[in-house]
């Protein structure tokens, strides 16, 4: 049974950085890419990027280029999302999601429960 | 960037058929995916590759695609289908992916 367990709520000041985690279990970790998606209050889902858990390769949405870093630790089946220079507009629930298709970035299939990050002075 | 356009809201009575559309330039060549998202819960994939239904998703959920429009169809909508629905797809060159803006489905 697939599980994606995300780290807990965070509160950050503007200008700071965040690093949240997503620990996977129940499947072959390096066989499926991981997506990161966020939802700001009252807004829709926003795709942030994709991490190839086997090679470590990344594909970031243009909007976040220069501010986002996605990494993984294959020894613990954990992926990480770092976002720097935080501003109030980054207040959101951040979701990790396992890809539908092995070794392909087709689409998110199974989602974690989300991590709430609040950016406030 | 790439844009997918959905109607902000759709409303049906229980037992009626709900249709939610998603418009995108690349949809004649790229498949669409559909997600159900209820407040406080993780999104759930309900349709993939335009028309396929993951295991565990009720048969009343189906999908279609024609030209630049993909459609999520809920036949005989139930009160528990009341949720936000998002389409997801990519551009023709696989350079950008996007979610649609979301459609609030009200069943009452």
């Amino acid at each position: 049974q697939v599980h994606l367990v995300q780290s807990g709520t965070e509160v950050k000041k503007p200008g700071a950085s965040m690093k949240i985690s997503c620990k996977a279990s129940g499947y072959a970790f390096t066989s499926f890419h991981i997506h990161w998606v966020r939802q700001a209050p009252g807004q829709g889902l926003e795709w942030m990027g994709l991490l190839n858990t086997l090679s470590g390769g990344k594909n970031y949405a243009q909007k976040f280029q220069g501010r986002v870093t996605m990494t993984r630790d294959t020894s613990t089946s954990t992926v990480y999302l770092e976002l720097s220079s935080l501003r109030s507009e980054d207040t959101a629930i951040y979701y990790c999601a396992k890809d539908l298709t092995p070794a392909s970035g087709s689409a998110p299939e199974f989602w974690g429960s989300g991590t709430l990050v609040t950016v406030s002075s | 960037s790439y844009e997918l356009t959905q109607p902000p809201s759709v409303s049906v009575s229980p037992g009626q058929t709900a249709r939610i559309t998603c418009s995108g330039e690349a949809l004649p060549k790229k498949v669409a995916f559909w997600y159900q998202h209820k407040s406080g819960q993780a999104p759930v994939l309900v349709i993939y590759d335009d028309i396929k239904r993951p295991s565990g998703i009720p048969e009343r959920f189906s999908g279609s695609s024609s030209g630049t429009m993909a459609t999520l169809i809920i036949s005989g909508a139930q009160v528990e289908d009341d949720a936000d629905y998002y389409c997801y797809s990519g551009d023709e060159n696989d350079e950008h992916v996007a979610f649609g803006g979301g459609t609030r489905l009200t069943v009452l």
Side-chain angles (χ1 to χ4, degrees):
Chain A
Q1 189 176 3
V2 174
H3 284 288
L4 295 173
V5 178
Q6 297 191 229
S7 50
T9 299
E10 298 201 351
V11 179
K12 296 292 184 181
K13 296 241 188 278
S17 296
M18 70 177 221
K19 185 175 184 177
I20 61 176
S21 65
C22 169
K23 182 175 175 59
S25 62
Y27 70 97
F29 175 70
T30 55
S31 293
F32 294 86
H33 298 0
I34 292 284
H35 299 255
W36 284 97
V37 177
R38 75 179 188 179
Q39 183 178 38
Q43 303 298 309
L45 299 176
E46 182 175 32
W47 187 82
M48 299 183 69
L50 179 70
L51 176 66
N52 182 324
T53 52
L54 180 62
S55 69
K58 303 110 177 175
N59 180 15
Y60 299 145
Q62 197 167 13
K63 173 177 178 177
F64 301 102
Q65 294 273 2
R67 276 208 308 147
V68 68
T69 304
M70 297 176 187
T71 56
R72 92 284 191 223
D73 181 344
T74 56
S75 69
T76 60
S77 300
T78 303
V79 295
Y80 299 92
L81 173 71
E82 294 181 80
L83 191 62
S84 61
S85 302
L86 291 169
R87 35 216 189 222
S88 58
E89 309 89 88
D90 295 316
T91 294
I93 299 174
Y94 290 78
Y95 294 99
C96 62
K98 168 189 165 292
D99 197 83
L100 173 67
T101 308
S104 171
S106 60
E109 178 195 19
F110 185 85
W111 299 59
S113 58
T115 295
L116 173 63
V117 177
T118 301
V119 182
S120 174
S121 54
Chain B
S1 64
Y2 180 55
E3 286 192 12
L4 295 168
T5 303
Q6 298 180 233
S9 63
V10 168
S11 182
V12 297
S13 299
Q16 289 187 326
T17 296
R19 291 181 174 83
I20 299 172
T21 59
C22 173
S23 176
E25 283 187 356
L27 289 177
K29 296 188 177 181
K30 305 297 284 187
V31 292
F33 302 78
W34 290 94
Y35 299 88
Q36 177 191 71
H37 191 198
K38 297 182 179 180
S39 180
Q41 299 182 21
V44 174
L45 178 67
V46 295
I47 293 291
Y48 68 98
D49 291 352
D50 287 339
I51 61 172
K52 299 176 182 177
R53 193 175 54 248
S55 61
I57 300 301
E59 290 185 7
R60 62 181 181 272
F61 287 86
S62 63
S64 68
S65 187
S66 178
T68 59
M69 186 170 290
T71 304
L72 174 67
I73 304 156
I74 307 173
S75 304
Q78 305 295 307
V79 172
E80 59 262 33
D81 300 331
D82 195 296
D84 295 323
Y85 290 85
Y86 295 88
C87 62
Y88 172 93
S89 189
D91 68 4
E92 194 172 318
N93 300 318
D94 291 327
E95 290 179 350
H96 304 286
V97 294
F99 287 95
T103 299
R104 181 76 181 86
L105 173 65
T106 302
V107 183
L108 59 79

